[in-house]
Amino acid sequence: MLSQVLTGTGGVGKTQLAADYARTAWDSGSVDVLVWISASSRSAITNGYAQAGVEVLGADPTDTEKATREFLAWLEPKTGTKPCRWLVVLDDLADPADLRGLWPPASPRGRTLVTTRRRDAALTGAGRRLVHVGLFMPWEAAAYLTEVLAAHDHTEPAEQINALAADLGHLPLALAQAAAYLVDAELACADYRELFADRMRKLADLLPESSSLPDDQAVTVAATWSLSIERADQLRPAGLARPMIQLAAMLDPNGIPATVLTSQPALAHVTEHRTSNGTDSTHQAAPVSAEDAVRALRALHRLSLIDHSPPTPHQAVRVHQLIQRATRDALTPDQHDRVALTAADALSAAWPDVERDTGLARTLRANVTALTHTAEDALYLRSAPHRVLFRAGRSLGQAGQVTDAIAHFDRLTEATRHRLGPDHTHALGARNMLARWRGEAGDAAGAVAAFEELLADQERSLGPDHIDTLMTRRALAGWRGEAGDAAGAAAAFEELLADPAWLLGPDSPDTLAVRDELARWRGEAGDAAGAAAALEELLPDQERVMGPDHPDTLNTEFNLAWWRGAAGDTAALEELLADRARALGPDHLHTLIAHVGLAHWRGDAQDATGPAAALKELLAPDPARLSGPDLPDNLNARNKLARLRSDAAAWKKQLVDQVRVLGPGHPRALVARHELAELRGKAGDAAGAVAAFQELLADRTRVLGPDHPDTLLTRYEIAGWRATAGDAAGAVAAFQELLAAEVRVLGPDHPDTLMTRYEIAGWRGEAGDGAGALAAFRELLIDQMRVLGPDHPKTLSTRRALTEWQMQQALMDQPIDEQDR
């Protein structure tokens, strides 16, 4: 593998060399896949790999870590596959440590090229070659100037060319700016040298006598920049180039979206700060339009101050870091802060409410990172952290990068606490987001603890009736449910709705959402009838406020039918399925979801033909025909389809990948391990299923606690598969131990508790205790009729089981009690 690291100071042309190499390799057809990544941070590197994984492999764009690993694995050489020649360019590597574990693999058909200012030992070894890139040699500088000027029919005496190259220190970046100026202004080298010398003297005079000049390269670029920006400001539309490059100087040098620099805040800034030294005075008072802004960018591009590439709108503008530094150094402290705030406003204005374009979202986040690095203090000047800081954190979480979201809000929490005080509303708001993403990362118990601490501080500093306090109570209630306390969650939501402080109104989306949560956790706590009753009241309000086709309304329709099914009434699901199939078509997402619910409850009622027919209809459609196969809701539908194909290799691989990527202890990985253990049992390996569930039980007990519903479910599975493996007596003992825990945690009337009693009764009979089975089924039937009703599917199942054991006892000539006839 050819792996080279180009190292050198800023402005020597490392990126240009890499770009020329990559362009030549692509144009010559010597590479099949070319990936260019701006490697300014570890997250930028992983984002670049992830994007490559999406485009090359069709990886999941919402899971950056997984897409990154898939792409790096794809680069590994493999036998028996079609060879692929690839080139990965990692431009402007800021810290070699950012590439730890992320270097492209060694491959006879792969090449890696890195540009960096660093010279660390970590950049060498493993077949990597360090190449030092310095200033142009005098003859190289002269040849460059001569070639560029000749291309525009501009000739100069050799001695003037050599003298200008020496004046500019043979720095490629300064040479490029000077050449662009000479061509655009049709100026002679001698005249430019006079301008440059005068500008260098003025820069020296601006510095205090006690201070020393910055490095020569920065001063040289500052001088050429100041000459070029004056020239750019004279081009039409006059006076816009300087305020436009000021904004660009605050943002990511590796790419700024066009929509940021043409947003309303950007246009207002350029209009207000239009310089008056331009020749175009006719439009000085007119507001700057988006078209004017683009023309200003073209003027900057023309003078080699930026690289403007309209065909790549997400990274339309690139600016060299030395030019950014020169631009910022020309600002007063007050100007610097105001421009930074405008840049933040422009990012916020360009950020879409719904992030459908993952590439744009990544670029916007990179620009927030650059802005924070350049002008973090300015982002707190409005007595609050700028909203773009919160938006960037939410974007990380919504993109699936929950670990990065936690780190982001952890930093934001500390920054707001330090700058604004611990009781400032935005400091508390940052803690709210930190707690939320902690829960989204799988630590529901940690989220509950964090929200409890936050609630206490909000009640003290803001008061119990403040809207932020109420919203924290809402979040805390939800995470209590996720942590396993369904009954506590339901009670908390009920208290919140009854609180006189909840004055958002009955038609507020937040009020409707809380009512939906209340219904959900009532059902999860075992009160299916209560959940259905709450949703019956909610549905007409949602239809009136949001409309019958709103996603929340459709979701409530399904949940209502679902909980009615849990309460024993599958007719609601049958009616819902017929309505959706007629209105939306058989392959629509919401129709498929109704299929899933109906198949589930028909199967639970032991309807042998119902589940088969429903599953056959469910599995027939191709999920790719859904409206947008990669939308999150449709991916969920496809996930349901895959899960029902429980013997499919693809579903098993998906589960294995979840465990590998998330780690075996992550809550979602625990769910995947549960599915894998169940698949193992269904494949005929009951003993293997027991072993897998026992390993899972240890981790669920450690991560979730012994009383979490998922932990109890794992114990249920262990007992059930022990019975299937032939150990009926052991299963009965395990179910009895579980029953004691369920009575204590869930209560004696919870559906899970009643189901465990059903299993105990059945396996007691299988273990040879027919009389004990009869007695247990009789007691269970009485309680089920009281709790579930006489027509509930589970009640009917117990009646059938009781009849079967009565018949078996009769065949053994054992008397049957008159009450059971």
Side-chain angles (χ1 to χ4, degrees), residues 115 162 185 213 311 355 438 508 540 566 574 593 600 710:
T115 71
N162 291 328
L213 285 170
E355 293 182 1
R438 186 172 177 180
S508 164
E574 293 171 352
I593 292 175
H600 175 86
D710 289 351

Side-chain angles (χ1 to χ4, degrees), residues 108-177:
R109 292 184 171 271
R111 286 177 274 177
T112 301
L113 184 60
V114 178
T115 71
T116 181
R117 301 184 188 190
R118 302 283 290 267
R119 301 183 181 183
D120 304 54
L123 295 170
T124 59
R128 296 187 286 271
R129 178 187 174 197
L130 200 64
V131 179
H132 295 278
V133 180
L135 302 174
F136 276 168
M137 297 295 291
W139 65 268
E140 291 175 316
Y144 169 79
L145 283 174
T146 300
E147 181 180 351
V148 172
L149 295 177
H152 294 84
D153 299 324
H154 189 130
T155 59
E156 290 284 343
E159 62 272 14
Q160 287 294 333
I161 290 282
N162 291 328
L164 177 58
D167 291 345
L168 299 178
H170 307 115
L171 181 66
L173 178 61
L175 291 166
Q177 290 186 64

